[in-house]
């Protein structure tokens, strides 16, 4: 009876309690052209990130050489370092085609010769540890993405004017620091601005640009074949600088992050700009944001993340898993010169294979398959295939190609699933920090790849054997992580704990 006494007008005026997830689903549940263009603009930054990550394939390539005397000790299979300088010469008359030939690194130790490439990945590791939390606190996703692209591109441009390997390594280190938060910012920003239904397709755009970036790099390298390696940095860095400016002018911030910062009006403005329903309301509903991050401490999100025992366990397991995948994934691309095939053709083929894996992963696999079992399966197959063909060696090219393609495809699929998985493992208040730490573990694994690739010039078991072993061992850790397919993205640690308790994942 009391229910019947309440007028319809009174019911309408009762304030509704909305979560951030409900607000997102209500306002941008249907994809429109604004959301598509914003996703493309965000994802475009991975195009330039990919080029700077894999540019060492061509800039640091070992040039081909030929004998210049009738010395019987000089043959195509001779050890270059055991010959005198007068017995051989580079096939290209231009010694500036590679860092190796310009600075006479062909006979130096693997540690010294790989120093510029390793410096890049070490910079990425340190930069991620320092800058990751800024995306959750003071800077936000958009500003951190723009700064990351700009710093990466400017230092890449400066690399083109390096007078020696020491200065060059410093610029590569700074470039790595700059690009460290880029990939995570893209992933988080795209994920947080679309509804749950369209999340995999939106994320896929970043991976497509990642493959296109590598293809573009291969094309630039082929067109500049025989020219200085410095031209590669100029052609790949200038467009990145322009892109960072366009991002700053036209890109919208994540409405989830704005809400967690208490900027409800700004968040509603973004939701109206992105949403298919333009009239969300003239007054702001009451939104649950119990865990807003203090602006005075940019690293408070890290403290919040480490304050929960379940979060620390989840973080450590996902980081160790990412480490093994990082060793394998980046090593497979950087080590194409060890296989004895044309690096331009092989790079294009590898990029095409990774592109097909992205399409499969985000158009079908992620929507229909569990994260844990997928990671376990792909890591096992990829690691085992890599170990087998590293033992078989270069003498069986047919077997080598088949196993290499199988291993690479499964490594790409594991990489795809992991990047989607780590965004879903952590709530909004610490998502950028948690995802970045997992990403940094992946970068730590890749930091060993340049040296392993150079060791692989002697025997591929040193490179690909190590890649496969790391992948095989790390895949088991997927079993210790919770399944997240089809689950909502929680916003606070309390919401995540409540959901996990309901699923009996934590006591």
């Amino acid at each position: 009876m009391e229910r019947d006494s309440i007028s319809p007008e009174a019911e309408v005026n009762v304030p509704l309690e909305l979560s951030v997830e409900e607000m997102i689903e209500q306002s941008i549940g249907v994809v429109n052209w604004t959301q598509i263009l914003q996703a493309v603009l965000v994802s475009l930054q991975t195009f330039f990130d990919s080029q700077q990550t894999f540019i060492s394939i061509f800039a640091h390539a070992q040039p081909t050489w030929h004998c210049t005397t009738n010395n019987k000790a000089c043959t195509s299979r001779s050890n270059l370092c055991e010959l005198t300088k007068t017995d051989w010469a580079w096939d290209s008359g231009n010694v500036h085609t590679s860092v190796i030939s310009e600075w006479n690194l062909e006979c130096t130790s693997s540690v010294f010769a790989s120093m510029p490439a390793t410096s890049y990945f070490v910079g990425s590791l340190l930069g991620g540890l320092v800058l990751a939390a800024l995306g959750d606190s003071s800077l936000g996703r958009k500003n951190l993405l723009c700064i990351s692209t700009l710093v990466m591109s400017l230092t890449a441009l400066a690399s083109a004017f390096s007078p020696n390997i020491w200065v060059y390594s410093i610029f590569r280190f700074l470039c790595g620091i700059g690009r460290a938060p880029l990939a995570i910012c893209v992933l988080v920003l795209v994920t947080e601005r679309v509804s749950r239904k369209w999340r995999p397709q939106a994320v896929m755009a970043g991976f497509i640009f990642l493959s296109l970036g590598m293809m573009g790099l291969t094309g630039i390298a082929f067109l500049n074949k025989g020219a200085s390696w410095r031209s590669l940095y100029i052609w790949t860095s200038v467009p990145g600088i322009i892109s960072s400016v366009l991002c700053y002018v036209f890109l919208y911030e994540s409405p989830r992050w704005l809400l967690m910062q208490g900027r409800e009006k700004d968040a509603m403005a973004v939701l109206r700009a992105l949403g298919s329903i333009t009239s969300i309301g003239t007054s702001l509903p009451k939104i649950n944001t119990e865990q807003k991050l203090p602006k005075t401490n940019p690293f408070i999100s890290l403290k919040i993340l480490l304050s929960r025992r379940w979060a620390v366990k989840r973080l450590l397991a996902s980081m160790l898993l990412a480490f093994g995948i990082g060793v394998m994934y980046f090593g497979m691309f950087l080590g194409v010169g060890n296989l004895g095939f044309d690096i331009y053709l092989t790079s294009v083929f590898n990029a095409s294979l990774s592109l097909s894996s992205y399409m499969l992963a985000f158009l079908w696999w992620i929507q229909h398959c569990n994260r844990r079992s997928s990671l376990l399966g792909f890591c096992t197959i990829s690691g085992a295939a890599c170990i087998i063909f590293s033992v078989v060696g270069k003498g069986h090219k047919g077997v080598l190609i088949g196993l290499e393609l199988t291993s690479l495809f499964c490594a790409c699929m594991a990489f795809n699933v992991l990047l989607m998985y780590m965004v879903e493992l952590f709530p909004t208040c610490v998502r950028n920090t948690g995802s970045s730490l997992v990403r940094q573990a992946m970068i730590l694994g890749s930091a060993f790849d340049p040296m392993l690739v150079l060791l692989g010039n002697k025997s591929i078991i040193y490179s690909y054997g190590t890649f496969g072993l790391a992948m095989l061992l790390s895949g088991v850790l997927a079993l210790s992580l919770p399944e997240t397919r089809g689950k909502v993205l929680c916003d606070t640690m309390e919401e995540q704990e409540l959901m996990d308790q309901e699923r009996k994942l934590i006591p």
Side-chain angles (χ1 to χ4, degrees):
M1 297 297 294
E2 293 180 357
R3 173 69 180 172
D4 294 336
S5 63
I6 300 177
S7 65
E9 292 78 12
E11 290 183 343
V12 171
N13 293 328
V14 172
L16 298 177
E17 190 86 6
L18 294 178
S19 68
V20 177
E21 184 72 24
E22 290 170 333
M23 175 61 69
I24 294 290
E25 295 293 333
Q26 182 188 80
S27 59
I28 55 177
V30 180
V31 173
N32 56 30
W33 280 107
T34 301
Q35 294 178 35
I36 293 174
L37 292 175
Q38 285 286 305
V40 169
L41 183 58
V42 173
S43 302
L44 179 61
Q45 309 317 304
T46 61
F47 182 92
F48 307 107
D49 180 32
S50 173
Q51 292 186 336
Q52 294 308 316
T53 299
F54 298 114
I55 198 170
S56 61
I57 295 175
F58 306 102
H60 303 180
Q62 176 81 36
T64 56
W65 59 277
H66 62 274
C67 297
T68 57
T69 64
N70 294 325
N71 185 354
K72 294 182 179 180
C74 183
T75 66
S76 58
R77 296 184 178 181
S78 298
N79 186 339
L80 194 65
C81 302
E82 294 177 356
L83 302 174
T84 62
K85 201 67 175 177
T86 57
D87 288 333
W88 62 275
W90 301 116
D91 288 346
S92 174
N94 182 10
V95 297
H96 302 291
T97 56
S98 170
V99 169
I100 301 294
S101 55
E102 178 170 340
W103 291 325
N104 300 316
L105 302 177
E106 62 274 7
C107 294
T108 59
S109 67
S110 299
V111 175
F112 185 74
S114 64
M115 184 171 60
T118 302
S119 296
Y120 174 81
F121 288 110
V122 172
S124 297
L125 174 65
L126 297 180
L129 294 175
V130 174
L131 301 176
L134 298 180
D136 281 328
S137 53
S138 57
L139 284 180
R141 281 65 156 136
K142 171 192 170 180
N143 289 334
L144 185 57
L145 176 63
C146 297
I147 293 173
S148 178
T149 305
L150 181 62
V151 173
M152 176 189 71
S153 301
L154 287 175
T155 50
L157 181 61
S159 299
F161 303 97
S162 303
N164 53 58
I165 190 174
W166 300 104
V167 176
Y168 178 56
S169 297
I170 292 173
F171 281 133
R172 294 307 291 158
F173 176 77
L174 296 175
C175 184
I177 290 179
R179 60 82 61 177
L182 191 152
I184 292 300
C185 283
V186 170
L187 193 61
V188 172
L189 193 54
V190 168
T191 301
E192 291 184 344
R193 295 193 312 184
V194 295
S195 65
R196 194 188 326 160
K197 178 182 178 181
W198 299 104
R199 201 174 292 152
Q201 291 87 343
V203 171
M204 185 186 68
F207 291 94
I208 291 176
F209 278 105
L210 191 73
S211 295
L212 293 178
M214 188 172 179
M215 290 183 180
L217 172 65
T218 305
I220 294 173
F222 183 79
L223 292 175
N224 286 272
K225 192 176 182 180
S228 173
W229 58 270
R230 300 172 188 271
S231 60
L232 287 177
Y233 282 100
I234 296 175
W235 284 108
T236 56
S237 60
V238 173
I241 296 173
I242 298 173
S243 178
S244 66
V245 176
L246 293 176
C247 252
Y248 184 77
V249 175
F250 296 108
L251 197 61
Y252 296 139
E253 181 56 90
S254 164
R256 291 177 180 272
W257 178 81
L258 291 171
L259 286 168
M260 295 305 296
Q261 294 293 309
R263 296 166 56 181
E264 286 88 356
K265 291 185 179 180
D266 292 335
M268 294 297 289
V270 172
L271 288 174
R272 290 192 179 95
L274 292 174
S276 301
I277 303 174
T278 56
S279 56
I280 300 175
T282 55
S283 60
L284 293 174
K286 186 178 180 181
I287 301 172
N288 283 329
T289 55
E290 301 96 338
Q291 199 165 325
K292 298 175 184 178
L293 301 180
K295 299 179 181 180
T296 55
N297 186 354
F299 301 104
I300 189 65
S301 58
L302 180 60
K303 182 179 179 180
I304 293 174
L305 179 63
L306 298 179
S307 65
R308 303 296 206 282
R309 186 176 179 182
W310 62 265
V312 173
K313 289 182 178 180
R314 185 174 300 184
L315 180 64
L316 289 177
S318 56
M319 287 178 69
L320 289 172
L321 174 62
F323 177 86
I325 293 178
V327 171
M328 182 70 168
Y329 178 81
F330 291 98
M332 291 288 286
F333 284 102
L334 295 174
V336 294
N338 294 158
L339 300 177
F341 307 124
D342 181 84
I343 61 172
Y344 301 100
L345 182 61
T346 306
S347 295
V348 170
F349 198 77
N350 285 350
S352 301
L353 191 67
S354 67
L355 180 60
S356 65
S357 75
Y358 300 150
M359 300 291 285
L360 173 62
F362 292 102
L363 287 180
W364 187 85
W365 196 278
I366 284 180
Q367 299 178 35
H368 298 90
C369 300
N370 290 342
R371 286 30 167 168
R372 288 196 308 173
S373 56
S374 296
L375 281 171
L376 178 62
F378 287 131
C379 288
T380 301
I381 296 173
S382 179
C386 194
I387 292 174
I388 292 172
F389 86 70
S390 68
V391 174
V392 171
K394 300 179 181 179
H396 305 77
K397 285 195 173 182
V399 176
L400 180 66
I401 292 174
L403 290 172
E404 192 269 343
L405 294 179
T406 300
S407 182
L408 177 61
F409 181 80
C410 290
C412 290
M413 288 296 290
F415 179 82
N416 302 340
V417 175
L418 177 64
L419 289 186
M420 187 70 190
Y421 195 20
M422 65 188 184
V423 171
E424 298 172 339
L425 284 172
F426 304 100
T428 301
C429 62
V430 294
R431 182 170 296 125
N432 211 76
T433 301
S435 300
S436 294
L437 289 173
V438 177
R439 171 75 174 178
Q440 294 323 112
M442 187 181 295
I443 297 300
L444 177 60
S446 66
F448 296 94
D449 289 334
M451 184 174 62
L452 292 172
V453 167
L454 288 176
L455 290 173
N457 290 329
K458 301 176 182 178
S459 174
I460 62 173
I461 197 170
Y462 294 129
S463 54
Y464 285 93
T466 305
F467 301 158
L469 185 61
M471 187 71 152
L472 197 61
L473 294 177
S474 65
V476 181
L477 292 167
L479 295 175
S480 64
L481 294 171
E483 183 54 54
T484 60
R485 182 172 70 92
K487 307 302 180 184
V488 300
L489 293 181
C490 296
D491 298 308
T492 67
M493 300 295 281
E494 287 77 11
E495 288 179 16
Q496 188 73 59
E497 288 178 351
L498 180 61
M499 187 178 74
D500 290 345
Q501 287 172 355
E502 292 176 351
R503 295 161 59 196
K504 298 181 179 179
L505 295 176
I506 59 177

